[in-house]
Amino acid sequence: MSTGRVRTKKKACSSDQSPDNLPVRSSGRQVKKKAAEAADDDDEASEKKYRKCEKAGCTATCPVCFASAAERCAKNGYTSRWYHLSCGEHFCNECFDHYYRSHKDGYEKYTAWKRIWTSNGKSEPSPKAFMADQQLPYWVQCTKTDCGKWRQLTKEIQLTPQIAKTYRCGMKLNNSTKSEGSDQCSMPEDLRVAEVSDHWWYSMLILPPLLKDSVAAPFLAAYYPDCVGMSPSCTSTNRLSGESNLVKLEHIKSVPNLTVAGMNKYFQPFYQPNECGKALCVRPDVMELDELYEFPEYSRDPTMYLALRNLILALWYTNCKEALTPQKCIHHIIVRGLVRIRCVQEMERILYFMTRKGLINTGLLSASPDQYLLPKEYHNKSVIIVGAGAAGLAAARQLHNFGIKVIVLEAKDRIGGRVWDDKTFPGVTVGRGAQIVNGCVNNPMALMCEQLGIKMHKLGEKCDLIQEGGRITDPTIDKRMDFHFNAILDVVSEWRKDKTQHQDVPLGEKIQEIYKAFIQESGIQFSELEEKVLQFHLSNLEYACGSNLSQVSARSWDHNEFFAQFAGDHTLLTVGYSTVIDKLAEGLDIRLNFPVQSIDYSGEEVQVTTADGTVWTTQKVLVTVPLALLQKNAIQFNPPLSEKKIKAINSLGAGVIEKVALQFPYRFWDSKIQGADFFGHVPPNSSQRGLFSVFYDMDPEGKESILMSVVTGDAVTTVKSLDDQQVLQQCMTVLRELFKEQEVPDPVKFFVTRWSNDPWLQMAYSFVKTGGSGEAYDIIAEDIQGKIFFAGEATNRHFPQTVTGAYLSGVREASKIAAF
């Protein structure tokens, strides 16, 4: 094809397009010869004028038929009508008739394709769709580093990932050997290739590209393929078997989660039809808001974007142990026509966007300087991160992998922050801080465990409630009180619907008020045991909040539940979170024992001063210190933080829970607990609520004899005034009451945590105080002038209080820093 070139009327046009790899030009003599031949075929040829493409704006002044299907194919000569697929791809009316007219030879092939398309797809099975899906030649790029030219394959060649991965100019694809003769890479590239990169070219594309045999197909079997960027004509994109063609997928009430053979069961990156409320899941048929913001050109027709994004996600979850590069994606893009060139170009943009956002190429990957995950334009930044906890290390790992210079300043003599594992117990790791993963589906902790080859122990649901005296509570009583407890919380949810922050009250007070009203109105009297079991459930709520309920907001106590949360199993990370944290930190520039005292961002560059007087100069700073330290102004900011941010910081609470771990000479609890992962302690009265309310068996294999318990609510204040030996005595008193029918031995080893006393932590996790709002998490997370950024669990409105939330906040800020 040639653009903007003046042609003489009544002459057939020369072609830049040939059925093999190389552009061919016809001489003027050849053009005259073709015109003469056409005249021989038709006496009226001299009266016919050469027709241009009727598509408004098409630059092809002399179209050439790519199909060559009909015996009387126009080739590059006269036809009564040209059908436009792109500015470089047309087919003639004769080839249209060849497939579309029932008396023609190609009709059967077209109708067979049409049946398959109709049974699987949602879009119209038109002749143009048939030509784009079945007849357009494939294009492939030479893989020689000093070439990279695009070549058109002959019509009969079916492109495969293997061909795309190994293709060299001039390669004979029937036996995968290179052709003899001169260096084929020196031959010029077809002129149409250069046009594909122009913006106008894509706007003139009639049909969006639909990928063949996409790696995403097994994930998306419940969708119409053409709605998620895949061709309905491929067997790999056949929808769920057993489904009637008359039934539309939108009306299916439930679609089971599809698992892909050999893949981690916790990897479910795509929503299934009619599914919702699953964290870090994407709709494969819809662009997210941040995607639309980054790629507004796809807002009218997102098909190409969806096809490539879904392919990239599927490739990442198929192998998350290696960085996904453009080179690894390209050969999986199988689509006919010149649009494949555009897909390859766009795929690189989309891949870099998804990498920057932490959707792929995240976790424990470590990029070397010659293989950074983002292009060079991202590398010209320097960042200091304050704090080497999960948030700080997540951000540091991401930024390092992007190619950005990072230094981490940590006040303590260890990394991890509120992740701190005790490995002194034989054969068992006991987390002094976090150790449980709440909801594993799409949880980045599950991803990192997969990258490390670590198995997560699924926690069972069985939790017997044992009363002091040793009796196991009747499960029906537990279920009844659990029902009443949740009913109370439902009433709280109803009450708060029309309440402002000024009308907020403490959650504990509201629960007591609703409970008393229920007793009065119903006339129901709970037994003494039922009242105690209710206290157990209240202690469990205080465990979740990290505080006595008298301080927690009734209006916003579960503010994050309005967002999709992590679904699936709750697991015990038996190897400890530190295994993940240590791997995150590997190879990073981390300076221990460097408490930051002040951050001055009044100038062009930011100055960070540490306790030893060292002044560090950088472009950007990420602050990841715990909320309690921000509340106590442990770091001086110049200029000071805004009143809005300070108000948000103080509207959250710095919750505290403590832990006790005990090693025994033998497993005295086995016969009573019968393999359960944990058991509950029914408090004898409300004043002892939260004092060792749950005991966890720390060795799921049942070899070691270690229990761990938690102290929550008001009980935290109680144990704070006791020394470790006194706390141990109280814990042993409880255990001997719960197992009164047998002898409970003295522990041979134990520890008691003191998170509230740690000068650089002073807390476990955040909660919304009475009168506060979940919006405070977002306000704390706001950056200042594109210079100072904030991360940590108290900046993550969607997933606060967890290591996962802290990790994701670090990934979020790394993305923001890279984008500035």
Side-chain angles (χ1 to χ4, degrees):
M1 185 203 77
S2 128
T3 57
R5 194 169 288 135
V6 177
R7 298 288 183 184
T8 306
K9 292 182 180 180
K10 297 186 182 179
K11 281 188 179 181
C13 294
S14 65
S15 170
D16 289 342
Q17 186 175 13
S18 70
D20 56 12
N21 300 331
L22 305 175
V24 174
R25 299 196 180 277
S26 300
S27 67
R29 187 175 301 160
Q30 288 173 317
V31 172
K32 290 177 183 177
K33 184 180 178 182
K34 287 181 181 178
E37 289 171 351
D40 290 339
D41 291 339
D42 195 326
D43 293 337
E44 296 178 6
S46 59
E47 299 301 318
K48 295 177 181 176
K49 293 183 179 181
Y50 181 82
R51 287 186 180 273
K52 290 195 283 187
C53 176
E54 295 173 3
K55 172 71 176 173
C58 179
T59 57
T61 54
C62 295
V64 180
C65 182
F66 64 77
S68 298
E71 189 176 341
R72 296 173 62 87
C73 172
K75 308 295 182 186
N76 61 342
Y78 171 81
T79 183
S80 59
R81 178 181 178 185
W82 284 108
Y83 292 86
H84 174 105
L85 291 184
S86 78
C87 283
E89 294 162 326
H90 300 79
F91 60 97
C92 67
N93 194 59
E94 287 70 22
C95 288
F96 171 87
D97 286 348
H98 177 76
Y99 290 110
Y100 192 66
R101 305 301 176 193
S102 58
H103 63 284
K104 296 287 186 177
D105 293 344
Y107 181 73
E108 191 174 327
K109 185 174 183 180
Y110 172 65
T111 53
W113 168 87
K114 190 175 179 180
R115 279 194 298 272
I116 296 170
W117 188 281
T118 305
S119 66
N120 286 328
K122 194 174 185 182
S123 57
E124 188 67 28
S126 66
K128 284 189 176 182
F130 169 75
M131 288 294 196
D133 189 67
Q134 295 292 308
Q135 298 301 308
L136 269 176
Y138 284 104
W139 288 77
V140 65
Q141 190 173 28
C142 179
T143 55
K144 283 184 70 173
T145 52
D146 56 348
C147 179
K149 292 188 177 78
W150 284 92
R151 306 300 190 189
Q152 178 182 303
L153 299 181
T154 51
K155 185 181 173 184
E156 68 275 7
I157 297 295
Q158 296 292 319
L159 182 63
T160 65
Q162 184 59 27
I163 291 174
K165 195 174 184 179
T166 59
Y167 181 79
R168 300 288 184 92
C169 288
M171 180 181 282
K172 290 183 179 178
L173 297 174
N174 53 349
N175 58 9
S176 297
T177 60
K178 195 174 179 185
S179 65
E180 301 295 328
S182 60
D183 178 15
Q184 299 294 307
C185 290
S186 64
M187 300 299 289
E189 190 173 57
D190 192 302
L191 295 177
R192 291 171 295 167
V193 172
E195 294 180 336
V196 175
S197 302
D198 294 333
H199 176 74
W200 59 264
W201 187 92
Y202 184 70
S203 67
M204 295 294 290
L205 193 66
I206 292 296
L207 298 167
L210 297 175
L211 302 187
K212 292 178 177 289
D213 298 318
S214 171
V215 177
F219 293 91
L220 305 177
Y223 286 89
Y224 291 107
D226 41 342
C227 291
V228 291
M230 301 186 300
S231 170
S233 68
C234 299
T235 54
S236 64
T237 53
N238 286 348
R239 291 185 288 139
L240 289 174
S241 58
E243 185 187 329
S244 168
N245 294 332
L246 300 175
V247 179
K248 291 193 174 181
L249 272 163
E250 294 93 326
H251 300 146
I252 296 176
K253 295 298 181 185
S254 62
V255 177
N257 278 319
L258 299 174
T259 55
V260 179
M263 187 173 294
N264 190 311
K265 66 178 180 178
Y266 297 135
F267 293 177
Q268 297 174 24
F270 302 107
Y271 276 121
Q272 299 305 313
N274 298 311
E275 187 182 34
C276 62
K278 206 159 62 174
L280 301 193
C281 227
V282 300
R283 285 275 305 275
D285 56 342
V286 174
M287 289 179 73
E288 307 278 340
L289 285 176
D290 56 346
E291 294 175 314
L292 287 166
Y293 181 80
E294 189 84 7
F295 301 95
E297 64 269 31
Y298 291 112
S299 58
R300 292 184 70 180
D301 185 351
T303 307
M304 179 192 274
Y305 180 87
L306 295 173
L308 298 174
R309 178 252 267 160
N310 295 344
L311 171 66
I312 290 169
L313 270 179
L315 284 170
W316 167 243
Y317 282 103
T318 303
N319 180 14
C320 63
K321 295 181 181 180
E322 296 178 5
L324 191 59
T325 63
Q327 293 72 30
K328 290 179 181 177
C329 296
I330 287 170
H331 59 272
H332 290 286
I333 300 173
I334 306 297
V335 63
R336 291 179 179 274
L338 285 163
V339 74
R340 182 169 186 267
I341 301 170
R342 187 61 172 254
C343 285
V344 167
Q345 294 167 349
E346 290 297 282
M347 181 277 306
E348 189 169 61
R349 286 180 63 211
I350 296 168
L351 184 133
Y352 288 144
F353 166 74
M354 295 174 72
T355 295
R356 178 166 60 80
K357 296 292 286 186
L359 299 171
I360 62 167
N361 289 337
T362 188
L364 302 176
L365 294 184
S366 182
S368 56
D370 60 334
Q371 292 181 322
Y372 286 135
L373 301 178
L374 292 183
K376 288 183 179 178
E377 56 262 32
Y378 288 93
H379 300 176
N380 58 345
K381 296 184 183 76
S382 62
V383 182
I384 283 179
I385 296 177
V386 183
L393 293 175
R397 170 55 54 205
Q398 291 288 101
L399 292 169
H400 172 81
N401 286 350
F402 293 167
I404 295 171
K405 185 181 178 184
V406 185
I407 296 174
V408 182
L409 302 178
E410 169 56 51
K412 296 173 71 65
D413 60 358
R414 64 172 180 84
I415 64 170
R418 284 165 275 180
V419 170
W420 186 19
D421 290 336
D422 190 309
K423 298 188 177 183
T424 62
F425 292 93
V428 173
T429 298
V430 182
R432 288 174 173 264
Q435 194 167 3
I436 292 172
V437 182
N438 294 307
C440 290
V441 172
N442 297 333
N443 196 308
M445 292 304 151
L447 174 83
M448 289 187 274
C449 285
E450 176 71 14
Q451 289 172 327
L452 284 173
I454 293 171
K455 285 190 175 181
M456 310 169 84
H457 172 70
K458 178 184 175 181
L459 291 171
E461 295 183 5
K462 183 182 178 185
C463 179
D464 288 330
L465 302 188
I466 308 177
Q467 305 161 38
E468 296 202 351
R471 187 174 181 179
I472 294 177
T473 304
D474 184 342
T476 57
I477 294 176
D478 181 21
K479 286 179 181 177
R480 188 185 313 146
M481 298 316 295
D482 184 46
F483 172 82
H484 282 289
F485 173 68
N486 283 299
I488 291 171
L489 294 180
D490 288 341
V491 176
V492 174
S493 295
E494 197 63 33
W495 164 84
R496 69 186 174 193
K497 282 182 179 178
D498 61 347
K499 299 296 184 291
T500 65
Q501 281 179 251
H502 300 296
Q503 295 172 301
D504 198 7
V505 297
L507 179 58
E509 180 183 305
K510 178 53 65 175
I511 287 174
Q512 198 62 30
E513 175 191 315
I514 293 167
Y515 179 64
K516 285 181 179 177
F518 171 74
I519 295 295
Q520 289 175 353
E521 291 174 17
S522 67
I524 292 175
Q525 289 295 319
F526 291 116
S527 68
E528 185 180 346
L529 175 57
E530 287 171 332
E531 293 276 7
K532 292 177 181 178
V533 171
L534 180 60
Q535 291 299 316
F536 168 81
H537 288 291
L538 288 169
S539 74
N540 218 25
L541 184 57
E542 289 179 328
Y543 182 12
C545 294
S547 168
N548 181 293
L549 300 181
S550 62
Q551 298 182 56
V552 179
S553 164
R555 183 175 170 271
S556 301
W557 73 273
D558 61 346
H559 64 99
N560 58 307
E561 294 295 328
F562 294 102
F563 306 101
Q565 295 298 296
F566 290 106
D569 300 336
H570 297 273
T571 58
L572 179 70
L573 205 50
T574 52
V575 297
Y577 270 110
S578 61
T579 305
V580 173
I581 293 294
D582 291 345
K583 192 67 178 177
L584 268 179
E586 210 171 81
L588 299 177
D589 186 354
I590 301 171
R591 316 290 177 94
L592 300 177
N593 298 306
F594 273 96
V596 171
Q597 288 188 330
S598 67
I599 298 174
D600 188 331
Y601 60 99
S602 57
E604 272 196 34
E605 292 193 303
V606 184
Q607 292 190 325
V608 178
T609 305
T610 48
D612 65 347
T614 304
V615 179
W616 311 70
T617 302
T618 186
Q619 293 173 312
K620 302 180 188 301
V621 172
L622 173 60
V623 178
T624 71
V625 300
L627 174 71
L629 298 190
L630 291 176
Q631 290 176 336
K632 295 179 180 179
N633 300 314
I635 297 174
Q636 299 298 310
F637 291 89
N638 182 38
L641 298 179
S642 67
E643 187 177 330
K644 177 185 177 184
K645 192 176 281 282
I646 290 171
K647 184 179 177 182
I649 287 169
N650 291 317
S651 72
L652 299 182
V656 179
I657 66 165
E658 302 291 0
K659 287 184 168 186
V660 179
L662 313 99
Q663 179 192 349
F664 294 95
Y666 57 89
R667 298 170 61 86
F668 63 85
W669 59 89
D670 267 353
S671 59
K672 193 166 191 172
I673 303 309
Q674 296 181 338
D677 290 304
F678 43 85
F679 56 91
H681 160 215
V682 179
N685 50 61
S686 60
S687 65
Q688 289 186 268
R689 186 175 84 203
L691 198 59
F692 318 115
S693 56
V694 180
F695 287 86
Y696 294 87
D697 184 343
M698 298 308 294
D699 184 15
E701 294 184 6
K703 296 176 182 176
E704 305 299 333
S705 310
I706 298 165
L707 292 176
M708 185 273 291
S709 189
V710 292
V711 180
T712 62
D714 283 341
V716 171
T717 307
T718 303
V719 301
K720 192 172 183 179
S721 60
L722 305 176
D723 62 31
D724 286 1
Q725 201 63 42
Q726 290 173 314
V727 174
L728 173 65
Q729 288 174 0
Q730 285 211 4
C731 187
M732 289 306 300
T733 299
V734 168
L735 276 173
R736 286 181 170 129
E737 276 293 326
L738 301 186
F739 294 88
K740 200 159 190 174
E741 71 284 357
Q742 65 187 85
E743 182 180 341
V744 175
D746 288 332
V748 296
K749 183 180 174 62
F750 79 101
F751 70 66
V752 178
T753 62
R754 301 287 181 178
W755 291 104
S756 60
N757 295 341
D758 189 311
W760 302 115
L761 296 168
Q762 301 184 26
M763 66 178 293
Y765 41 77
S766 61
F767 64 93
V768 180
K769 291 197 292 194
T770 305
S773 162
E775 188 185 3
Y777 286 87
D778 288 339
I779 296 170
I780 299 171
E782 291 173 358
D783 66 90
I784 305 174
Q785 300 175 12
K787 294 179 180 178
I788 312 298
F789 299 80
F790 295 85
E793 59 87 19
T795 71
N796 194 327
R797 187 177 187 177
H798 290 224
F799 314 111
Q801 305 176 323
T802 61
V803 181
T804 294
Y807 171 86
L808 286 171
S809 73
V811 172
R812 177 197 70 211
E813 295 308 303
S815 175
K816 286 166 62 176
I817 290 168
F820 262 99

